[in-house]
Amino acid sequence: MKITSTSGICPVLVCLCFVQRCYGAMHHTSIKVTKNQTKHIEGETEVHHRPKRGWVWNQFFVLEEHIGPEPQYVGKLHSNSDKGDGSVKYILTGEGAGTIFLIDNTTGDIHATKSLDREQKTHYVLHAQAIDRRTKKPLEPESEFIIKVQDINDNAPEFPDGPYIVSVPEMSDIGTSVIQVTATDGDDPTYGNSARVVYSILQGQPYFSVDPKTGVIRTALPNMDREAREHYSVVIQAKDMAGQVGGLSGSTTINVTLTDVNDNPPRFPQKHYQLYVPESAQVGSAVGKIKANDADIGLNADIRYSIMNGDGVFSISTDKETREGILSLKKPLNYEKKKLYSLNIEGVNTHLDHRFSHLGPFKDSTMLKVIVGDVDEAPLFKMPFYEMEVYEDAKIGTIVGMVTAQDPDSTSSSVRYFIETNLREGKEFEIDTNNGAIRTATHLDREENPWYNITVTAAETDNPSLASYVSVLIKVLDVNDNPPHIVIEDIVACENGRPGQVIHTIRATDQDDTANGPRFYFSLPEGHTMNPNFTIKNNEDNTASIITRRRRFSRTSQDEYYLPVVVADSGIPSLSSTSTLSIRVCACERDGRVRTCHAEAFLSSAGLSTGALIAILLCVVILLAIVVLFITLRRGKKEPLIFSEEDIRENVVTYDDEGGGEEDTEAFDISALRNPSAAEDLKYRRDIRPDVMCTPRHQDLSAIESINVQEFIKQRLAEADHDPSVPPYDSLQTYAYEGQRSEAGSISSIDSIGTQSDQDYTYLDDWGPEFKRLAELYGEKEQERTT
């Protein structure tokens, strides 16, 4: 009973308990509590309580699955404010109110109008309230109560995972666990025995048993043989109410399969077999089959076959799909030599289970007799292939070799021979059809074809369709029939070469074999041994060196030389040939690198390409056009040196022409330097227009002629500095006087032609390609002086 105090004037809620299961009868208990009631307790003083709620109703467990004709009575709501005059109205809200649960608003009686199922909903939460019919005001605060659905045994046990498919090895011991099954019951496991399940076996005895509490299924018989029976169907029942009478039950099926173990050895159906094999059977081919039976399956039935005796003529293997023994031929059969073979065949399991070794041995054997059949065979050659040799200079009809074949049959028929010809080989040889002698049919050349591979056919005379074939490999031997030849290469001799200098190494080739080719010998032909320019030196390694015999060569005098050279091989007899080598004269660097071999290539030695030369030429042409245009304009209009009288400032006139010194009388008029009297008249400056003309001063002619030119220039300089007519600004005057006897001396090359100089000109090599020619000229002169 639950009593909730919500206000000071709330009545007391009294619960009338309806306990049907505990007492076997329905007892209604009403507890009435009046407002402002005082309770006396022994040993205590009087206590005044707040007003309690005056509800009265029945607390209960309503039965599920009610099927009576009348609605099931649930309980009664009653308030102390209810005087029985109908002024109190009871209201019910919450889960199922108005649909499942109905209340009499006058009396407060509650009824269930529908059958309830505890497995769907175990309880319902509702709210009750009493109000005054006239004022519509609540007489009591709203209270909450629960209606619980009481369980009955209305659900049978079920196996949610059934039916089951399991397996267990055959020959298992008693009590071997197979599977554990579990049944579920929808009833309340906390109330009574409605959900207490007990297991039993309905089908499957005496092979299997089940634990009544746990549901574990175990084997009940020993040595259950899969080969005798493989599948079993076991039916298990689960019953609630602890198996008592009246309990509900459910069942499931367990399909049990016995898995295989290797408990059966292989067995041959017969102890003796016979097999016929013709002697013409091909080596490696299958000639027969044999099989041992095994009651097991899978890996437990795998068998390995072997031949326990024999001379290696036959072999046996296992077919993994059919588990048959495949008998194959390893060596050719010959009826004339052996007509019968007796083979002891054994079959053994490959996967043994030692738990069942007492049932063995897991192997079996049988005897197989192989009968060799006689057939008409083709002729057989004495050798599987032939190798022969013949010299390339052999005459037509020379015997190269002989092949031999015989008829293996007892009749021993005669044999005829043929050569299989094709477009490439076979026409160079012929064969005697009776004795198999092979002869040359054409002239042979080892350098053209050193090997021949021909096929010879041997067939019976009486039955040409029976034929056999053999390969004949013929090697053509070499004779010295090809002279050696020098490999022609580009040979260069430098202009600045030295005597004894190696300018090239020559090589030779020979089409003959090494026995008739190298080693090579090089020499000059008779009559040319005293060549003044070049000589030959054998290097003893099949090469020779060309050596110069003179100091210098000149392209201008001769740019190409021809040197005949003789080369001989070491064959017997020795063969030789003469080749004329062309030697070009080229300009080279000091380290021997070729710079140019043609005079027209001189400009390219500076490292300029054709495109660069063309660009330079275009620039030159453009510059010439600009110069011509400038000269034309100058001739058309010549501007004065001084533009105006007001423009009086410094004027510097620059001439870029270099004179030829005192000997040059064309570029400049230097008479003022040579004739002092003429210079006296030209002392006035020509770059300005003087306003005041000074009176010219004349000196004695004899005194002027005796003055040194240097002194004359100094004198004129002093006069210009003290001349009052000179404007107050600087003026630059240039005199083309070189002076007397310069310390550096003359730089003209005219006077130094015949003089000897001790100066070293090797530094000219470092000045770049522009000074290469100058370095060569002075380098040659230095070498000539040293020589």
Side-chain angles (χ1 to χ4, degrees), residues 477-495:
L477 301 178
D478 182 53
V479 296
N480 194 17
D481 56 348
N482 293 281
H485 296 281
I486 294 177
V487 179
I488 303 300
E489 296 177 338
D490 189 15
I491 306 175
V492 174
C494 294
E495 285 185 316

Side-chain angles (χ1 to χ4, degrees), residues 288-307:
K289 299 179 181 180
I290 191 171
K291 184 177 182 181
N293 297 327
D294 194 323
D296 296 323
I297 60 174
L299 296 177
N300 297 319
D302 286 348
I303 302 174
R304 181 181 67 250
Y305 297 92
S306 59
I307 300 175

Side-chain angles (χ1 to χ4, degrees), residues 173-211:
D173 296 333
I174 295 177
T176 301
S177 176
V178 178
I179 190 175
Q180 182 179 9
V181 295
T182 302
T184 59
D185 196 311
D187 294 325
D188 188 359
T190 63
Y191 180 76
N193 294 326
S194 299
R196 184 179 178 185
V197 179
V198 175
Y199 300 95
S200 61
I201 184 168
L202 301 181
Q203 180 181 325
Q205 294 176 333
Y207 308 103
F208 300 95
S209 63
V210 63
D211 189 302

Side-chain angles (χ1 to χ4, degrees), residues 37 237 313 444 482 520 631 644:
Q37 180 180 7
Q237 182 190 65
V313 179
L444 305 177
N482 293 281
F520 299 122
I631 293 174
S644 65

Side-chain angles (χ1 to χ4, degrees), residues 244-375:
Q244 299 176 5
V245 178
L248 302 179
S249 64
S251 62
T252 187
T253 302
I254 299 95
N255 295 315
V256 182
T257 301
L258 297 183
T259 58
D260 184 60
V261 297
N262 191 8
D263 58 342
N264 295 279
R267 291 290 181 264
F268 286 102
Q270 301 176 210
K271 290 300 181 181
H272 297 278
Y273 292 89
Q274 286 187 354
L275 179 64
Y276 174 83
V277 180
E279 63 174 337
S280 59
Q282 297 295 323
V283 175
S285 62
V287 296
K289 299 179 181 180
I290 191 171
K291 184 177 182 181
N293 297 327
D294 194 323
D296 296 323
I297 60 174
L299 296 177
N300 297 319
D302 286 348
I303 302 174
R304 181 181 67 250
Y305 297 92
S306 59
I307 300 175
M308 307 306 295
N309 62 345
D311 50 3
V313 179
F314 297 94
S315 65
I316 192 170
S317 60
T318 303
D319 189 330
K320 294 183 179 180
E321 298 294 332
T322 62
R323 293 186 174 87
E324 294 177 328
I326 308 300
L327 191 67
S328 302
L329 187 64
K330 291 182 63 177
K331 297 180 181 179
L333 299 176
N334 193 333
Y335 173 81
E336 288 72 25
K337 293 183 178 180
K338 191 170 184 179
K339 301 178 177 61
L340 179 65
Y341 293 87
S342 296
L343 305 178
N344 185 15
I345 309 297
E346 184 181 66
V348 181
N349 279 140
T350 57
H351 298 84
L352 300 179
D353 193 338
H354 299 289
R355 295 177 301 170
F356 309 103
S357 58
H358 62 280
L359 302 176
F362 287 83
K363 61 181 179 180
D364 195 14
S365 61
T366 187
M367 182 63 67
L368 174 62
K369 292 184 179 181
V370 180
I371 301 174
V372 181
D374 186 21
V375 295

Side-chain angles (χ1 to χ4, degrees), residues 382-449:
K382 290 186 177 181
M383 299 177 63
F385 64 92
Y386 292 85
E387 288 188 6
M388 302 178 183
E389 295 179 347
V390 61
Y391 283 97
E392 61 177 329
D393 62 346
K395 297 180 179 180
I396 297 177
T398 300
I399 296 178
V400 180
M402 183 175 293
V403 296
T404 304
Q406 293 181 349
D407 184 9
D409 298 327
S410 57
T411 57
S412 186
S413 300
S414 59
V415 178
R416 297 178 64 84
Y417 303 93
F418 307 94
I419 292 180
E420 297 288 334
T421 59
N422 52 41
L423 296 178
R424 298 177 59 184
E425 295 181 353
K427 299 179 180 180
E428 292 81 1
F429 303 93
E430 59 184 10
I431 191 170
D432 191 314
T433 58
N434 296 320
N435 58 17
I438 299 176
R439 295 182 173 85
T440 58
T442 59
H443 291 288
L444 305 177
D445 188 359
R446 189 202 68 85
E447 288 72 34
E448 181 179 350
N449 194 354

Side-chain angles (χ1 to χ4, degrees), residues 480-698:
N480 194 17
D481 56 348
N482 293 281
H485 296 281
I486 294 177
V487 179
I488 303 300
E489 296 177 338
D490 189 15
I491 306 175
V492 174
C494 294
E495 285 185 316
N496 56 356
R498 302 183 303 275
Q501 181 180 2
V502 177
I503 62 174
H504 190 73
T505 300
I506 57 177
R507 296 171 177 81
T509 59
D510 196 327
Q511 295 182 357
D512 291 325
D513 199 1
T514 55
N516 295 313
R519 139 175 172 186
F520 299 122
Y521 301 92
F522 300 87
S523 62
L524 296 176
E526 296 182 0
H528 296 78
T529 55
M530 298 303 295
N531 190 307
N533 301 314
F534 306 98
T535 186
I536 296 295
K537 176 186 176 182
N538 273 296
N539 296 328
E540 305 299 333
D541 59 353
N542 296 322
T543 63
S545 300
I546 300 178
I547 303 175
T548 58
R549 302 186 66 176
R550 53 181 291 185
R551 176 172 297 278
R552 297 183 56 81
F553 296 91
S554 176
R555 286 181 293 166
T556 57
S557 61
Q558 185 174 350
D559 61 351
E560 190 172 11
Y561 293 86
Y562 298 97
L563 179 66
V565 178
V566 178
V567 57
D569 59 22
S570 58
I572 300 175
S574 178
L575 299 180
S576 64
S577 65
T578 302
S579 299
T580 301
L581 305 180
S582 177
I583 304 175
R584 293 190 299 159
V585 179
C586 299
C588 304
E589 305 288 350
R590 288 194 173 187
D591 56 359
R593 291 180 298 170
V594 177
R595 186 170 73 246
T596 179
C597 293
H598 302 284
E600 60 272 18
F602 177 74
L603 291 177
S604 63
S605 63
L608 298 177
S609 62
T610 304
L613 293 176
I614 294 174
I616 293 173
L617 292 177
L618 289 176
C619 293
V620 171
V621 171
I622 294 172
L623 290 176
L624 290 177
I626 294 173
V627 170
V628 171
L629 179 61
F630 180 75
I631 293 174
T632 304
L633 295 176
R634 289 290 300 271
R635 287 180 179 179
K637 181 180 180 180
K638 187 173 182 181
E639 297 182 357
L641 183 61
I642 300 177
F643 296 96
S644 65
E645 296 181 357
E646 289 78 9
D647 189 9
I648 305 300
R649 54 187 175 186
E650 297 180 0
N651 292 280
V652 180
V653 180
T654 303
Y655 298 94
D656 294 332
D657 298 333
E658 293 185 2
E662 297 178 359
E663 302 297 329
D664 188 359
T665 60
E666 296 180 0
F668 298 95
D669 185 9
I670 59 173
S671 60
L673 298 176
R674 294 186 177 276
N675 190 356
S677 13
E680 180 71 20
D681 298 334
L682 300 175
K683 72 176 182 176
Y684 299 106
R685 297 172 56 140
R686 294 181 296 175
D687 55 345
I688 62 174
R689 186 176 297 172
D691 295 334
V692 180
M693 299 297 295
C694 297
T695 303
R697 291 170 294 180
H698 296 278

Side-chain angles (χ1 to χ4, degrees), residues 12-66:
V12 179
L13 298 180
V14 181
C15 299
L16 301 179
C17 298
F18 179 75
V19 186
Q20 180 183 8
R21 296 278 182 178
C22 298
Y23 299 100
M26 186 178 300
H27 298 275
H28 297 273
T29 304
S30 299
I31 302 176
K32 296 185 184 236
V33 180
T34 61
K35 296 183 181 179
N36 302 325
Q37 180 180 7
T38 302
K39 184 178 180 182
H40 294 274
I41 302 176
E42 216 178 301
E44 295 182 2
T45 61
E46 185 179 16
V47 180
H48 294 276
H49 295 275
R50 290 187 302 173
K52 298 294 183 176
R53 180 168 41 194
W55 289 97
V56 178
W57 72 87
N58 296 326
Q59 184 181 9
F60 64 92
F61 292 94
V62 63
L63 293 176
E64 67 171 337
E65 305 295 343
H66 177 71

